[in-house]
């Protein structure tokens, strides 16, 4: 029978990777908790209209990239391509917004029918935050600081923040008129895609990757020139707050984001760790979205970071600096203790001991090959455990277990040499192992 394969762009996360993912997620959870963000989990499947109305019909995501189908009840359903619209829908549906400002975070798979390549998949994962009901310029800087500090704490190096203001809907309308007029006069110099966008979503042309279009855009009028004085002042206030937080940024007047709901602050955070600058995090303010989805006018801001791209960046950082924070995070999990056992009587004692140690919180791997001690010790070394516990029939007979350090343990812990310990004094054994495993971990061996 032929073996079945996963769908194109849908990628398995194998144990070696899930370990790393969990480490990253754990750090993210700590930061969210410090920032007062609470987790929200929404369904992967939503009515198609949510994204059509929320993200905008003329965007690439809605126009070309959604997984949309009719369910058995003939409703049009879509696998979520991003998190913001769902979070806002849920907040409205569950009355969260009547309880004051909401600082929320989410994580999980998103689906976009794109051309798969490195760091771009059809099922990918995001972690994101949405702050609903917060309007100040300071909050824009604060939400950016959350992303910045999280990425820095993860050991991502070469971070750069690009920021722009997309102004109010009126500002964008004024700019749209001016941009379309300018581009219409140069229509024949635009690529086919951009020509089409001229009537559907002209601001997105600024995001074009087409070299000739990009070159032409160098000369195009800038959004900044259409911003009302209040919008400019707001943008300045955000930049000042970033200055106060000592977060470096670069103003990029051509930064527009792929989704229609953004206004005022828009930003992206990139890392140079993969050679070229890779966008790991994108976000901005979306004051109009709640209303567009049927709620009362509510200011809001958020960002999402791409887990796959973040992991690529972290792996590169770990290779570049084997002693750094990223290397620590992507390290495979190892057991604390490896139990080497051989013989009928030893097996019973090892089973009991292993279970006891596990219930005391130690990660224990027991060799179940029954092979010669030499072979078991080789596996113990490969396991990365700090200690081997050795049980042969002779030890079992005497009611002891031999502790053999597999890594250099500071002498002070009294575990530098191998020694026998009584099986009847479990607390002393556990304490010694935990202390030893701890000092091995902190000595960085
Ligand atoms: P891009 O310009 O790379 O397509 P985007 O603007 O479509 O990005 P957002 O919607 O802002 O991306 O999503 C935020 C982050 O999610 C991105 O910065 C990226 O890290 C990640 N991301 C987006 N699309 C994908 C994908 N198809 N596969 C993997 N990660 C993705
Ligand atoms: Mg995209």
């Amino acid at each position: 029978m032929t073996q079945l394969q996963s769908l194109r762009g849908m990628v398995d996360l194998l144990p070696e990777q899930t370990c790393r993912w969990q480490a990253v997620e754990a750090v993210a959870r700590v930061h969210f908790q410090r920032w007062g963000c609470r987790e929200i989990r929404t369904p992967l499947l939503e009515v198609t209209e949510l994204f059509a109305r929320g993200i905008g019909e003329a965007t690439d995501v809605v126009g070309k990239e959604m997984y949309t189908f009719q369910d058995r009840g003939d409703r049009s359903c879509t696998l979520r391509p991003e998190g913001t619209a769902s979070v806002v829908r849920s907040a409205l549906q569950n009355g969260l917004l009547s309880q004051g400002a909401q600082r929320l975070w989410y994580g999980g798979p998103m689906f976009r029918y794109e051309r798969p390549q490195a760091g771009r998949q059809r099922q990918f994962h995001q972690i994101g935050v949405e702050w609903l009901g917060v309007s100040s310029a300071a909050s824009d800087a604060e939400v950016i600081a959350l992303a910045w500090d999280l990425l820095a704490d993860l050991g991502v190096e070469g971070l750069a923040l690009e920021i722009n203001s997309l102004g109010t809907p009126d500002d964008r309308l004024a700019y749209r008129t001016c941009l379309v007029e300018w581009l219409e006069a140069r229509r024949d110099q635009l690529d086919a895609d951009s020509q089409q966008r001229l009537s559907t979503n002209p601001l997105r042309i600024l995001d074009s990757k087409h070299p000739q279009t990009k070159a032409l855009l160098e000369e195009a009028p800038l959004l900044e020139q259409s911003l009302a004085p209040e919008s400019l002042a707001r943008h300045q206030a955000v930049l000042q707050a970033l200055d106060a937080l000592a977060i470096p940024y670069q103003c990029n007047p051509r930064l527009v984001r792929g989704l229609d709901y953004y206004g005022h602050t828009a930003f992206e955070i990139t890392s140079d760790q993969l050679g070229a600058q890779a966008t790991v995090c994108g976000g901005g303010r979306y004051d109009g979205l709640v209303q567009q989805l049927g709620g009362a006018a509510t200011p809001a801001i958020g960002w999402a970071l791409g887990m796959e791209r973040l992991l690529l960046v972290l792996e590169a950082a770990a290779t570049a600096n084997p002693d750094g924070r990223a290397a620590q995070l992507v390290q495979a999990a190892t057991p604390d203790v490896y139990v080497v056992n051989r013989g009928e009587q030893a097996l019973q004692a090892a089973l009991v001991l292993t279970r006891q140690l596990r219930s005391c919180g130690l990660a224990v791997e027991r060799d179940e090959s029954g092979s010669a001690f030499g072979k078991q010790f080789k596996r113990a070394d490969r396991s990365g455990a700090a200690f081997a516990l050795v049980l042969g029939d002779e030890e079992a007979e005497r009611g002891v277990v031999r502790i053999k350090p597999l890594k250099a343990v500071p002498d002070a812990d009294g575990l530098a040499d191998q020694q026998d310990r009584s099986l009847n004094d479990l607390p002393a054994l556990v304490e010694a192992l935990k202390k030893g495993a701890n000092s091995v971990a902190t000595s960085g061996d």
Side-chain angles (χ1 to χ4, degrees), residues 10-205:
M10 308 270 172
V11 178
D12 296 312
L13 282 172
L14 302 176
E16 194 190 342
Q17 287 139 337
T18 52
C19 253
R20 298 172 175 187
W21 281 56
Q22 284 171 3
V24 170
E25 287 160 0
V27 174
R29 279 201 173 82
V30 168
H31 281 261
F32 292 144
Q33 190 255 336
R34 289 180 190 168
W35 250 265
C37 300
R38 297 183 304 159
E39 185 181 4
I40 185 164
R41 301 188 190 189
T42 63
L44 303 193
L45 205 56
E46 298 271 7
V47 292
T48 303
E49 195 194 343
L50 174 64
F51 305 113
R53 240 209 281 168
I55 301 175
E57 302 268 11
T59 60
D60 279 356
V61 170
V62 174
K64 302 185 194 160
E65 298 173 356
M66 292 206 305
Y67 278 89
T68 297
F69 60 94
Q70 301 296 118
D71 74 3
R72 288 171 195 273
D74 213 25
R75 299 172 204 89
S76 181
C77 304
T78 294
L79 281 167
R80 64 178 186 193
E82 54 100 52
T84 308
S86 303
V87 168
V88 170
R89 192 242 348 111
S90 174
L92 283 173
Q93 186 174 338
N94 296 292
L96 298 187
L97 295 176
S98 59
Q99 300 164 28
Q102 296 289 319
R103 289 182 169 75
L104 304 169
W105 74 270
Y106 63 86
M110 308 291 162
F111 303 85
R112 295 185 193 175
Y113 198 83
E114 301 196 66
R115 201 167 65 78
Q117 50 194 286
R120 193 174 294 284
Q121 298 173 183
R122 290 182 174 171
Q123 175 175 333
F124 63 102
H125 299 75
Q126 287 184 335
I127 291 187
V129 302
E130 312 294 351
W131 287 7
L132 310 176
V134 293
S135 61
S136 68
S139 67
D140 294 27
E142 201 180 2
V143 86
I144 291 173
L146 167 50
W148 187 267
D149 290 354
L150 168 59
L151 289 168
D153 191 21
L154 287 168
V156 181
E157 281 163 36
L159 283 176
L161 165 66
E162 290 194 8
I163 189 165
N164 192 21
S165 171
L166 306 178
T168 63
D170 280 348
D171 296 342
R172 288 194 295 286
L173 206 62
Y175 177 59
R176 187 186 159 123
T177 312
C178 144
L179 180 70
V180 169
E181 193 182 318
W182 192 89
L183 287 173
E184 277 295 359
R186 294 156 183 86
R187 176 178 264 276
D188 52 335
Q189 297 174 50
L190 288 173
D191 62 283
D193 240 11
S194 298
Q195 284 184 4
Q196 208 188 348
R197 284 198 176 122
L198 212 42
S199 51
T200 57
N201 195 355
L203 258 59
R204 288 285 284 142
I205 298 175

Side-chain angles (χ1 to χ4, degrees), residues 27 152-155 321 323-330:
V27 174
D153 191 21
L154 287 168
N321 180 6
D323 299 322
R325 170 77 166 144
Q328 214 179 35
L329 276 174
V330 305

Side-chain angles (χ1 to χ4, degrees), residues 95-357:
L96 298 187
L97 295 176
S98 59
Q99 300 164 28
Q102 296 289 319
R103 289 182 169 75
L104 304 169
W105 74 270
Y106 63 86
M110 308 291 162
F111 303 85
R112 295 185 193 175
Y113 198 83
E114 301 196 66
R115 201 167 65 78
Q117 50 194 286
R120 193 174 294 284
Q121 298 173 183
R122 290 182 174 171
Q123 175 175 333
F124 63 102
H125 299 75
Q126 287 184 335
I127 291 187
V129 302
E130 312 294 351
W131 287 7
L132 310 176
V134 293
S135 61
S136 68
S139 67
D140 294 27
E142 201 180 2
V143 86
I144 291 173
L146 167 50
W148 187 267
D149 290 354
L150 168 59
L151 289 168
D153 191 21
L154 287 168
V156 181
E157 281 163 36
L159 283 176
L161 165 66
E162 290 194 8
I163 189 165
N164 192 21
S165 171
L166 306 178
T168 63
D170 280 348
D171 296 342
R172 288 194 295 286
L173 206 62
Y175 177 59
R176 187 186 159 123
T177 312
C178 144
L179 180 70
V180 169
E181 193 182 318
W182 192 89
L183 287 173
E184 277 295 359
R186 294 156 183 86
R187 176 178 264 276
D188 52 335
Q189 297 174 50
L190 288 173
D191 62 283
D193 240 11
S194 298
Q195 284 184 4
Q196 208 188 348
R197 284 198 176 122
L198 212 42
S199 51
T200 57
N201 195 355
L203 258 59
R204 288 285 284 142
I205 298 175
L206 299 180
D207 217 14
S208 171
K209 309 277 187 288
H210 197 276
Q212 197 185 327
T213 302
K214 267 175 89 167
L216 178 68
L217 286 169
E218 295 282 323
E219 312 288 318
L222 295 174
L223 210 161
E224 202 181 339
Q225 292 150 4
S226 305
L227 292 185
E230 299 79 32
S231 302
L232 277 173
R234 189 181 193 289
H235 189 48
Q236 283 309 317
V238 174
L239 300 184
Q240 270 167 20
L242 288 171
D243 287 335
L245 294 171
I247 295 177
Y249 54 83
Q250 196 167 10
C251 291
N252 176 355
R254 287 183 188 80
L255 180 93
V256 287
R257 307 255 320 125
L259 316 177
D260 272 358
Y261 49 60
Y262 288 108
H264 289 301
T265 303
F267 65 91
E268 288 185 355
I269 301 178
T270 58
S271 160
D272 66 1
Q273 209 83 57
L274 297 175
Q277 211 71 26
T279 308
V280 287
C281 177
R285 181 159 280 286
Y286 50 92
D287 291 345
L289 182 62
V290 177
Q291 208 168 17
Q292 213 168 308
L293 293 178
T298 307
I301 186 165
W303 52 253
L305 61 80
M307 281 293 282
E308 282 79 5
R309 250 174 256 180
L310 174 59
L311 265 294
L312 286 176
V313 164
L314 284 177
E315 281 155 16
T319 311
N321 180 6
D323 299 322
R325 170 77 166 144
Q328 214 179 35
L329 276 174
V330 305
Q331 224 170 40
T334 53
D336 299 311
V337 175
Y338 193 95
V339 175
V340 168
N341 60 123
R342 187 172 153 83
E344 195 52 38
Q345 210 182 336
L347 172 62
Q348 301 304 328
L351 266 180
V352 172
L353 175 66
T354 303
R355 185 181 186 210
Q356 286 170 328
L357 295 177

